[in-house]
Amino acid sequence: RGAPCSRATQSELQLCPVPSSPRSPVFTRHAMRPAGLVCSLVMIARCSTAFRPATSVLRRPIRTRALFANSAGRGGATATPTMSTEEWPMAKVRKTFVEYFEDKCDHKFYPSAPVVPFDDPTLLFANAGMNQFKPIFLGQADPASPLAALNRACNSQKCIRAGGKHNDLDDVGKDVYHHTYFEMLGNWSFGDYFKEEACKMAWECLTVKYGLDPERLYVTYFGGDEVKAPGVPSDEECKQIWLSLGLPESRILPFDAGDNFWEMGDVGPCGPCTEIHYDRIGGRDAAHLVNIEPGDPDVIEIWNNVFMQFNRSPTGLVPLDEPSIDTGMGFERLTSIMQNKRSNYDTDVFTPLFAAIQEVTGAEPYTGLVGEEDTTTKDMAYRVVADHIRTLTYSISDGARPDNNGRGYVLRRILRRAVYFGSQFLGAKPGFFNKLVPSVVATYGDFFEEIKANEQVVINVLKEEEAQFNKTIDKGLKVFKKKAAELKKAGSTVVPGADCFFLSGSLGFPLDLTEIMAEQIGMTVDKEGYEAELKKEADKNTGKGGEGQKDMLFQSKETVWLGNENIAVTNQAGKYTTGAQPEATVLAIFTGRGALPSEKGFQPSATAEDEVVGFILDSTPFYPEAGGQVPDVGTLTSADGSKAVSVSDVQVYAGYVLHIGTINDGSVAVGDVLTCAVDYDRREKIAPNHTMTHVLNYALRKVLLGGPNDEEEKKGKISQKGSHVDENRLRFDFGWDKPVSTEQMAEVERLVNEQISSNLQVYDYQAPLAEAMEIYGLRAVFGENYPDPVRVVSVGISEEQLKANPKSEDWANYSVEFCGGTHVQALGVGEVFVITEETGTAAGVRRISGVTREKARECNADADKFATRLDGLEALEGPALAAELKVVKNELNSYTMGAVRKAELVARLDVTAAKVLAWQKEQTKAKAGAASATVKELAKSCGDAAKVVARIDFGVDGKTSSKLMKDFGKANKTSSLLIISAGDEGFGIYCNAAKAHMEGGLDALQWVQAAVEAAGGGKSGGRPNNANGQVASLAGIDAAEAAAKAFVA
């Protein structure tokens, strides 16, 4: 975190040990200068950005100024304590940082956000400490959210760098410094303190709290750069601050923008930064080794402080009214320094995991070798498995699941990479990987309690995924080895992209695993060919849509512009009102962010020629998309009808509601007063679906957990994983590790409809967040940042009742949730609820879809119709029942019915099918007995050396035909027999040729084929002595019999 524009992010900097030799792992500034803008805000890079909203906290003086007087320079530091694992266990390293900023520097400890950023679709994973503060920097923080109230914060953020632009996955294990999961220690000021305080805090934290020798510390600052940062003077203020802290000028080093000027994107907050470097050796002048390329292994950056003091606009840099601080320090790296280890993997961050790996796999101990000296790849495998079990434990605990898309696919790759390395190089038996989860929990669970709560969930998910991969791993290895041998024999050392794609798509081997296998035998893979195959498949399955669509997304550039124009956020009070058509004034018109010619940003007016346009109004009755509920649609019209806009989408950014649509008539200008007409008929269909999603949530917990159950809910059971509500249906995803049974679904459905029948009232009110969190049985979404105050939606319990007795266990029988959506006033409006589908979406996640009102009635009506159809079916017997059963089975999927009723009716259908099967077996048995008697009689009557063609109907049954041929052969060893037998729709041909006839040239297969061809064609197979055939239609049976007789005439 906090890297300059052409530097690696701090999340990269903390991951920097590399060996000077395979036996001597040390640190270096690995990958310090990737091309182009590299910052921890990977999701923000190359896009417009913004600072915090205008409503900010005033600066206040720092309380700790006196603490720094003698902490720097050549004589001011305390004696350096012993640096060892015993003196500085990792928990103490983390605790020291947090307590320093929390207790001494008046920061609010803001817990780590989940590594899965559910509210940020631009990120696969949280990859820097400030990710969760992104809304503040982008100007998108809801004024009512806890983020908007922050002025100082600190934490240790869980981060994952795998997939996307910042991806260390392929390098993990090859060296002793790359990780996919890591922690980032950080402190932030949002318009509060600035440079002097930030530098003093960092200095005291390192030299006093951690006791690092000041003589080993070097700092850098922005020394000016007319090419990359023209007009920005050297940050002499920063230099003077460090001098005032006692550092000699020889250890205060200027660098250009490539090292010491950080930018969030092409526009937005930016500024110089100062980095603190540590010399592991000491007792020397190492200034010339700071930022040296490619990097010195013993002079490493440990902390970066970014001074956000400018805003970059298209016309240049403008000083910010409220400059901020954003810092980051790698936890694993700092721990290695405090424990005097030259590799992160040698600290107690990893050694407990290595012990667990050795115990589970039985492998030889970890020895820290890399490269050619790691001749068996054992140590690389240790590092891979240890790193990957951390990543998967944290990500699954935070709600992610391995699957075939997005972050889920990244997690599946990580898991399969770990299983591959464990099984191939550590000798691990199938099922070993999930057994490592307890060691992760034991090592880190005291600070990150969520992994402790979700331990069993993680084990279950990994066990299922591991078992799935183990089914194909051996086959995949065989396929690869065979293909590799063929390629080498042909003189090629490149595995074609098509073969890589086959291994990935059909056998579950991600490309990186194929690369690893190829590398081990001196081969490479055709990545471009693989990507081409991938694109070809994607185009085939989904097409190329999306080209030419306008980019109407608001980011910092847009929200800052609105703020600078003194445009107030939208008054949304009317979005909960039904039926009103209020007037509103157009405050801004947005035509797109600039990717297309028709996108011209904010304009004073717009017409139909501008195509899709967005309008900011002073107030609105439209509901913007949020909380899984689709946005309202409707129209905006002028009083005289000369101006009309069709609104097809509504989004909200930092309190500004953007009404997106097309202009049908006239020219709409800023200042126009328009009548807002929401499609309330559509909203009336959405509202009961949303409210019933809440009641469904309550009912699922009641049925599956027996009601509120803190212990199980902490493990993620019945936790909401997502929802979608529109006018047609509702969809609810929740944590559960097995299918919900028909009986359980029936009970859930019954509970929901029971509350609908009771016509329970629906209440909503605003409450302080802390107060609302005390409500017994409250349902809240994990990872969601709720505003304060928060809107409480309760079903069947009034505001007065909840406030009077918030902890009453009676509330377990009702739905109480935080929600900003639109709802019915009473459940009776929903009329009836039907579950239409229950399915799994990922390991440990189930999905229930449902409908209400007329669509639910239609489901029940269809179910009643099909039940009547079954009544008629069940009244039949024998051949009529068998024939009608086929018809009814084909009709089943044409009926739209609920999952519960369908399961019940399918069960009835299965009973009838079993009855038909039993009858058919009896008929077959009877026919087979009669046919056997006929064949035995025929064997006696046909004489010796006969060639017999017989029509004997016993159905199309190979088992019966085999018995008949044996019966005939026993009774007449010199004759040959071909039987034609009619079934319900087609017929079978079965033939056995006697030895003497074969010697005379008779071929049973040719005999059968002649009959099949005469019937119009079919299937045939066998040998000269025994063959059979099958024809799908009865139309040619007589022709087949005639041809068979003619063949031996």
Side-chain angles (χ1 to χ4, degrees):
R1 172 67 198 117
C5 60
S6 64
R7 291 278 306 280
T9 67
Q10 184 72 15
S11 60
E12 291 171 310
L13 300 183
Q14 67 90 37
L15 304 171
C16 300
V18 294
S20 56
S21 72
R23 293 189 182 278
S24 177
V26 292
F27 287 80
T28 188
R29 294 174 59 85
H30 175 78
M32 293 292 277
R33 300 177 182 272
L37 178 65
V38 180
C39 68
S40 60
L41 287 174
V42 60
M43 68 291 174
I44 307 174
R46 301 307 178 198
C47 69
S48 299
T49 54
F51 202 51
R52 64 176 293 142
T55 56
S56 68
V57 181
L58 294 175
R59 285 199 184 192
R60 63 177 185 273
I62 186 167
R63 299 184 337 187
T64 55
R65 188 177 300 273
L67 297 175
F68 301 100
N70 296 309
S71 63
R74 296 184 180 275
T78 58
T80 302
T82 301
M83 291 185 174
S84 65
T85 304
E86 293 73 21
E87 179 68 24
W88 282 98
M90 66 167 183
K92 181 180 176 181
V93 175
R94 187 194 293 115
K95 182 180 180 182
T96 297
F97 181 89
V98 173
E99 288 186 347
Y100 171 75
F101 280 98
E102 190 175 25
D103 297 341
K104 290 194 173 184
C105 302
D106 200 24
H107 286 59
K108 178 179 177 58
F109 175 73
Y110 206 82
S112 171
V115 290
V116 181
F118 294 105
D119 56 352
D120 189 347
T122 66
L123 274 178
L124 284 176
F125 302 102
N127 60 10
M130 62 76 59
N131 284 166
Q132 65 177 323
F133 306 120
K134 175 184 174 183
I136 299 176
F137 291 103
L138 287 180
Q140 296 177 345
D142 186 328
S145 74
L147 286 177
L150 284 178
N151 55 1
R152 301 182 181 199
C154 68
N155 74 7
S156 185
Q157 171 66 42
K158 301 175 292 186
C159 300
I160 291 177
R161 294 186 65 234
K165 183 176 181 179
H166 294 272
N167 180 17
D168 281 339
L169 176 57
D170 296 341
D171 293 318
V172 168
K174 296 177 181 178
D175 49 44
V176 293
Y177 52 89
H178 277 100
H179 311 299
T180 55
Y181 170 85
F182 59 92
E183 289 180 48
M184 181 61 63
L185 303 170
N187 61 288
W188 294 268
S189 164
F190 306 108
D192 191 353
Y193 63 81
F194 199 46
K195 290 184 185 179
E196 183 176 4
E197 294 93 334
C199 292
K200 288 180 176 180
M201 290 177 190
W203 189 254
E204 187 195 45
C205 184
L206 291 175
T207 61
V208 177
K209 300 304 293 183
Y210 287 113
L212 295 186
D213 180 2
E215 298 290 341
R216 295 190 180 202
L217 296 174
Y218 298 78
V219 298
T220 67
Y221 68 97
F222 177 63
D225 190 329
E226 286 303 316
V227 176
K228 298 177 183 176
V232 181
S234 172
D235 193 357
E236 295 301 313
E237 179 188 5
C238 178
K239 178 180 178 180
Q240 290 304 315
I241 292 170
W242 288 120
L243 286 171
S244 71
L245 288 172
L247 269 79
E249 190 167 358
S250 61
R251 288 196 277 121
I252 306 172
L253 311 172
F255 284 90
D256 62 15
D259 286 296
N260 281 89
F261 195 90
W262 182 86
E263 299 193 61
M264 187 178 287
D266 292 333
V267 295
C270 58
C273 62
T274 183
E275 299 169 338
I276 303 174
H277 297 248
Y278 181 76
D279 178 13
R280 287 184 177 275
I281 296 175
R284 59 174 180 167
D285 180 3
H288 64 290
L289 300 176
V290 173
N291 283 347
I292 191 173
E293 294 291 353
D296 184 273
D298 289 309
V299 180
I300 58 174
E301 180 188 338
I302 57 175
W303 204 340
N304 196 356
N305 284 250
V306 178
F307 309 133
M308 290 190 182
Q309 65 186 91
F310 300 108
N311 184 63
R312 183 177 290 283
S313 70
T315 58
L317 293 174
V318 179
L320 288 170
D321 292 333
E322 297 177 330
S324 291
I325 293 294
D326 175 17
T327 87
M329 177 162 57
F331 167 67
E332 288 84 355
R333 168 175 284 194
L334 179 61
T335 301
S336 73
I337 292 173
M338 299 310 299
Q339 296 182 4
N340 198 25
K341 305 291 186 182
R342 305 182 85 191
S343 162
N344 294 352
Y345 286 102
D346 291 334
T347 68
D348 66 346
V349 176
F350 284 96
T351 51
L353 304 188
F354 287 166
I357 292 170
Q358 184 181 9
E359 181 179 351
V360 169
T361 65
E364 291 296 314
Y366 176 73
T367 53
L369 299 178
V370 295
E372 294 180 358
E373 289 204 3
D374 185 18
T375 56
T376 63
T377 318
K378 169 182 64 70
D379 289 341
M380 178 178 178
Y382 263 102
R383 291 186 290 268
V384 167
V385 174
D387 173 87
H388 292 3
I389 192 62
R390 294 207 314 162
T391 298
L392 288 159
T393 299
Y394 280 102
S395 57
I396 293 171
S397 293
D398 282 351
R401 295 293 184 270
D403 59 35
N404 289 326
N405 299 296
R407 68 172 61 97
Y409 179 65
V410 174
L411 295 181
R412 181 163 283 170
R413 285 177 58 201
I414 291 172
L415 182 142
R416 294 185 171 187
R417 192 170 187 262
V419 171
Y420 171 77
F421 271 92
S423 62
Q424 297 301 304
F425 305 112
L426 298 177
K429 295 180 180 179
F432 83 95
F433 193 56
N434 68 85
K435 296 176 183 177
L436 299 174
V437 174
S439 66
V440 178
V441 173
T443 305
Y444 317 111
D446 288 342
F447 189 77
F448 296 109
E449 295 183 355
E450 58 272 21
I451 65 172
K452 186 181 295 184
N454 288 281
E455 179 176 353
Q456 193 57 49
V457 173
V458 177
I459 290 173
N460 292 343
V461 171
L462 294 183
K463 185 181 294 184
E464 182 178 332
E465 280 288 320
E466 195 176 353
Q468 182 179 334
F469 183 48
N470 282 331
K471 292 178 182 177
T472 61
I473 186 171
D474 289 338
K475 184 176 180 181
L477 289 170
K478 290 178 182 177
V479 170
F480 174 80
K481 289 177 180 177
K482 180 180 178 182
K483 184 64 183 180
E486 292 174 354
L487 290 168
K488 284 191 171 184
K489 187 176 181 180
S492 174
T493 59
V494 180
V495 182
D499 293 307
C500 296
F501 182 75
F502 173 77
L503 282 166
S504 174
S506 300
L507 299 176
F509 270 72
L511 179 64
D512 53 323
L513 272 193
T514 304
E515 285 185 277
I516 291 168
M517 294 188 294
E519 183 181 339
Q520 290 173 336
I521 57 174
M523 299 183 71
T524 60
V525 300
D526 176 13
K527 287 187 178 182
E528 291 185 2
Y530 172 81
E531 294 296 335
E533 292 292 328
L534 205 60
K535 185 177 185 301
K536 188 188 303 181
E537 182 71 10
D539 290 345
K540 182 175 69 175
N541 291 337
T542 63
K544 291 185 179 179
E547 294 182 5
Q549 294 182 355
K550 271 194 170 186
D551 182 0
M552 302 297 288
L553 176 69
F554 268 25
Q555 291 189 342
S556 65
K557 180 180 179 181
E558 290 71 35
T559 55
V560 166
W561 186 90
L562 293 169
N564 290 340
E565 294 296 313
N566 295 317
I567 295 174
V569 296
T570 311
N571 182 343
Q572 301 181 54
K575 67 184 179 183
Y576 297 122
T577 303
T578 299
Q581 293 190 355
E583 290 185 337
T585 302
V586 178
L587 301 183
I589 298 174
F590 184 63
T591 61
R593 300 186 65 239
L596 299 175
S598 59
E599 297 180 29
K600 303 172 184 176
F602 289 100
Q603 296 293 316
S605 63
T607 66
E609 293 181 357
D610 290 295
E611 302 171 349
V612 177
V613 182
F615 300 90
I616 300 292
L617 309 178
D618 63 339
S619 61
T620 184
F622 283 83
Y623 178 84
E625 182 176 13
Q629 180 176 326
V630 295
D632 281 336
V633 299
T635 61
L636 304 173
T637 56
S638 60
D640 61 3
S642 63
K643 303 177 181 185
V645 177
S646 293
V647 178
S648 58
D649 188 15
V650 185
Q651 300 293 324
V652 61
Y653 303 100
Y656 295 104
V657 177
L658 185 66
H659 305 73
I660 303 170
T662 54
I663 298 175
N664 300 324
D665 296 301
S667 172
V668 181
V670 171
D672 285 348
V673 177
L674 304 176
T675 299
C676 304
V678 174
D679 184 346
Y680 287 112
D681 290 338
R682 176 174 175 269
R683 187 195 281 185
E684 280 186 10
K685 296 176 182 178
I686 296 171
N689 286 344
H690 198 154
T691 307
M692 243 45 75
T693 304
H694 286 214
V695 183
L696 169 64
N697 192 354
Y698 143 76
L700 282 167
R701 180 166 67 173
K702 184 81 170 177
V703 172
L704 300 181
L705 293 182
N709 186 325
D710 287 344
E711 184 177 344
E712 291 299 311
E713 290 177 55
K714 284 180 180 177
K715 298 176 182 177
K717 298 290 182 68
I718 317 302
S719 60
Q720 182 172 335
K721 300 298 184 183
S723 65
H724 179 82
V725 177
D726 59 28
E727 67 271 33
N728 297 312
R729 63 168 185 165
L730 61 92
R731 189 186 72 210
F732 184 72
D733 296 350
F734 58 98
W736 197 246
D737 53 10
K738 55 187 174 183
V740 180
S741 69
T742 300
E743 293 75 16
Q744 290 170 327
M745 278 194 290
E747 180 60 12
V748 167
E749 208 173 74
R750 186 194 69 77
L751 284 173
V752 176
N753 283 306
E754 181 179 77
Q755 295 204 344
I756 292 175
S757 298
S758 299
N759 197 28
L760 296 181
Q761 296 298 297
V762 180
Y763 304 89
D764 68 89
Y765 68 96
Q766 297 285 329
L769 182 60
E771 177 185 303
M773 291 296 292
E774 295 297 315
I775 298 173
Y776 183 80
L778 172 75
R779 302 293 274 153
V781 179
F782 176 76
E784 186 78 15
N785 284 318
Y786 291 104
D788 190 5
V790 66
R791 184 170 182 249
V792 179
V793 176
S794 60
V795 178
I797 325 167
S798 68
E799 175 183 354
E800 293 72 23
Q801 289 173 299
L802 286 172
K803 286 185 173 180
N805 191 5
K807 296 186 179 181
S808 171
E809 294 188 5
D810 291 343
W811 308 152
N813 297 312
Y814 303 92
S815 167
V816 185
E817 295 194 26
F818 295 157
C819 182
T822 61
H823 292 274
V824 297
Q825 294 182 333
L827 292 190
V829 175
E831 300 178 11
V832 65
F833 169 73
V834 170
I835 294 174
T836 56
E837 184 182 33
E838 192 280 338
T839 186
T841 63
V845 179
R846 306 300 299 179
R847 170 175 293 172
I848 282 184
S849 300
V851 291
T852 62
R853 303 181 73 181
E854 64 271 13
K855 289 190 178 297
R857 292 196 303 273
E858 289 171 5
C859 285
N860 287 339
D862 262 16
D864 290 340
K865 289 178 184 177
F866 193 72
T868 301
R869 190 81 172 85
L870 286 185
D871 291 341
L873 177 69
E874 291 165 350
L876 301 176
E877 297 287 345
L881 176 61
E884 188 67 4
L885 176 63
K886 293 180 180 180
V887 176
V888 174
K889 278 186 173 181
N890 289 333
E891 291 177 356
L892 175 62
N893 289 328
S894 67
Y895 288 81
T896 302
M897 62 183 88
V900 174
R901 289 289 303 278
K902 184 174 183 178
E904 294 169 349
L905 294 171
V906 167
R908 280 181 61 184
L909 194 61
D910 289 342
V911 171
T912 301
K915 180 180 177 181
V916 169
L917 181 61
W919 175 80
Q920 289 174 334
K921 286 182 176 179
E922 290 177 1
Q923 294 300 304
T924 299
K925 184 177 180 181
K927 287 180 179 181
S932 180
T934 300
V935 165
K936 289 177 181 177
E937 181 60 33
L938 187 61
K940 294 179 182 178
S941 62
C942 71
D944 294 334
K947 298 175 183 176
V948 181
V949 176
R951 172 78 180 272
I952 306 174
D953 293 336
F954 54 84
V956 181
D957 182 8
K959 186 176 180 180
T960 299
S961 69
S962 296
K963 184 177 183 305
L964 295 180
M965 291 302 172
K966 289 180 181 178
D967 290 344
F968 185 86
K970 287 180 181 179
N972 190 329
K973 299 184 183 300
T974 62
S975 295
S976 299
L977 173 65
L978 184 144
I979 298 176
I980 297 177
S981 171
D984 293 336
E985 297 177 350
F987 62 93
I989 305 170
Y990 309 97
C991 179
N992 190 72
K995 184 177 180 180
H997 287 153
M998 289 173 60
E999 292 173 350
L1002 181 63
D1003 187 309
L1005 180 57
Q1006 293 177 3
W1007 195 0
V1008 168
Q1009 287 172 339
V1012 169
E1013 290 171 4
K1019 297 185 293 184
S1020 60
R1023 299 181 298 276
N1025 67 318
N1026 184 276
N1028 59 72
Q1030 191 171 330
V1031 178
S1033 170
L1034 288 170
I1037 192 168
D1038 291 336
E1041 183 177 358
K1045 290 179 178 178
F1047 189 84
V1048 293

